[in-house]
Amino acid sequence: MAKTSVWSDNRFWQRSAAWITGFAAVLLIWLTFDTAGQISMGTDADLQNKVTKRVPGPTVINYKITYEMSTKRGHEVPVIGEKEKFFGRDDWSEEEAGALLHLGKLGSQTKNCMNCHTLLGNGAYYAPDLTKAWLDPAWQNDGTMQAMTGKSTKEEAMAEFLQHPSTYPTHARMMPDLGITAEEAKGLVAFLKHMSSIDTNGFPRNFGKIQGAVNGK
Amino acid sequence: MASNHLTGIGSESKQLATWYFTFAAIIFGAQLLFGLVAAIQYVMPGFLFELLDFSVARMLHINALVVWMVFAMFGSVYWLLPDETGIETIGIKIGKLLYWVFVAAIVVVILVYLFIQVGPADETSIWFIHEGREYIEAPRWADFGIVVVALGFVANLWLTGFKGKNSGIVTVLMADMIAFAGLYLAGMFFTDNITVDQYWWWWVIHLWVEATWEVFVGAIAAYGLITMIGAHRKVVEMWLWIEVAMLFGSGILGIGHHYFWIGTPEYWWEIGALFSALEPLPLVAMFIHVLYDWGKTQGAQDATGQEVSVINNKPAFTWFVLNAFGNFLGAGIWGFFHTLPQVNLYTHGTQFTSAHGHLAFFGAYATILIGMMYIAVQGTNGIKIMKNTRASLWAVSLIVGGVMGMTIALTIAGYVQVLVSRAQMGATWAGYFDGQSGMWFAQAMDWRLFMGAITFLGFLFLVKDLLSTGKNPVHER
C-alpha cells in the first residue's frame, strides 16, 4: 500500500475543522464575558460620581449631553455635562427614569422604528439614523423642527412630532402616524436621549459638524 | 425505503422536501412583491402611505427572505438525507406534522404584520404582533413555535444520521444545524439596553448568515457535485472539511465587524477587521472547489474520447455555479469593501449595506436553494438527464441580471449617501435628506426599482419552469 500524505487525509481536515471551530467559539465566548461587563448599564451613582460608562444609566436624562472631540481617543465622544431639565424636571429618580426608558425601548420595537430608521447604524435606510438624533441641530432652540412644532424645548418638540408626524412633514418621504400616545412619546424621547449618550467609538463621525452640533456649539 | 437521488418517488423524506420547496417558492414570491412595494416607495413616497408603509413592506420583505431560505434549507436536508444515509428519514410523520404547524404559524404572522402592523408600547405587542427587531421580528409566541419546529427537524436529522450510513456531508449538517437552531435562542429576550440588545442580535444574524448558513451551503454544494457531475466523494468531502475550518475560523470572530459602533469596546476594531478580512478566503475556496471538480470530472470523461457532458441536471448545475460566483462576489467582494473600520465608520448603515445584502443573500443562498429545487424536480419526475428549457434560461438570465442591476444601483446610491450625508454633512437629519435628494441617488433608486421588476419577471419564469419542466419531453428519462 502506498504511503499517503496527511494533507490528503480527510480525518486530518475533519479534526482541524473541529479544533479551529472550537477555538474560535471559545475565544468569542471569552470576549463576550469581557464585553458584557463593559456594556452593562451604569447607575445613578455612576453619573453623580462622574464615572464614565459606555452605556450610562437611565438618569442620564437629567443631564445635558454633548458630542465632543476627544484628543486622547481621536474621535468624538458623548460628554455628560451639567443638569438640564427634561420635560420640566431634572430630578428624575432611578426608578422613574428607568420606567421611562423601558417604555421608550419597548415603543421603539413595537412601533417598528428599525424598519425605516437605523439605530446605532443598524436597521433600514429609508429614514435618518437615530443614534444621535437627540443632538441633531434641527431640534435645538433655533432649529427648524422646534420652530415647526411651535414648542419651546427639544423634548417637547420631539414628542409633538412623534405623536403627529404627518402634520410636520420634513420631506416628501413622511413618517406615518403610528398611534403614539403622549406617554409613549415621552418614553421614546427618553430612549433617544439615552441612546445619544452611548459611547459609539466616534460613530457617526463629525456628527453635524457643518451645522455646529459638534463640541456643543 | 431508501432511494436513489434520481428517483425521489417512494421516499417520504423526499416528498416532505418538495412540500418545503413549494412553500419556500411561494414565500420567495412574497419577498419579491414586498421588495417591489418598498422600492416603489423610495421613488414615490406617497405610495400606500399609511396603508402599507415602508416599515411594514420592508419587514415583510426581509422576514419572507429569511423564512423562504429556512424552508428551502430544511427541504434540502430532507431531500438529501435518504441519499446520504441510505435509509428513510426517521420520525417523518412528526416531520410532516411540524411542517403544517410551521406553515400555519407563518401565515398567521404574515396576516398580523399586514393587518395589525403596530401595537401599543407594551409586552402584548411583543408577544402577539412583532418584536420590531430587524430580521427576527416574529412575535414571541411564534419564536417558541419556531424553536419547537427547529428541534423536531434537528432530531430527525440526528436520529437518521446516527442510524444510517454517516457520511461527511451528514456529519457537517448535524453539527451545523444544531448550531443554527441553538443560535436562535440568543434573539429571544427583551432588554432596555440597546447595546446589549444589538450585541446578542448579531449572534443570531451574523452567526447564522456568515457562519452556519455558509457551512450549510458548503455541504449542499458538496452533495450537488456528487449527484450532478459524479464528483469523487473523498475529494469533495476533503474540500468540505477545509471549507468548514475556514468558514468557522473566519466567520465566528468576524462577528467583530458588527461591534465597531454599537457601544462595544474598541478591541473589536482589530478583531473584526482581521477576521472579516479573512472571511472572503473560504468563499474563494468554495469557488475554486466547484470549478475544479467540474473540470476534473469533465476532463476524465473527455479522456474516454466521447463528447458527453458530465452534468445530469443543467439548470440546477447552472444555479450551483452561479452560487460559486455569487457567494464570492456578493458576500466576499461586496462585503469586504466596507468591512474595515476606517471605511465602515462612513458606510455603516447606508445603501452600501443594502447593496451588499442584496447580492450576498442572492449569490450565497438563493442561487443554491433554487438549484436544490431543480434537483427535486429531476428526482420526483425520474429524469436521467435534465436539460434547460427556454423558461429556465429566461429565469436565470432575468433574475441574475436584475439582482446585479439592483446591486450596482444601490452601490451608486451608497456612494452618494456616504459622500454627502456622512462625510460632508455628518449624518444629521438635514444631511440625510440632502444625500437622499441628490440626482445620482434618485436615479439609482429608479434603476433599483426597474431592476427589481426585471427580477420579479424572472421569478415568474422560474415558477413556470419549476412547475412545468418535469413533464417536458426534452429531458432524457
Side-chain angles (χ1 to χ4, degrees), chain A residues 8 32 34 105 122 125 177, chain B residues 50 197-199 267 432:
Chain A
S8 69
T32 295
D34 186 73
K105 173 66 169 31
N122 295 318
Y125 324 112
D177 186 346
Chain B
E50 293 192 332
D197 179 321
Q198 293 278 296
Y199 187 88
Y267 54 69
Y432 174 83

Side-chain angles (χ1 to χ4, degrees), chain B residues 443-465:
Chain B
Q443 288 185 353
M445 285 305 172
D446 292 344
W447 277 103
R448 190 271 291 269
L449 173 57
F450 175 70
M451 289 300 179
I454 298 282
T455 310
F456 189 73
L457 194 61
F459 170 76
L460 296 179
F461 275 104
L462 179 69
V463 170
K464 177 193 180 284
D465 199 43

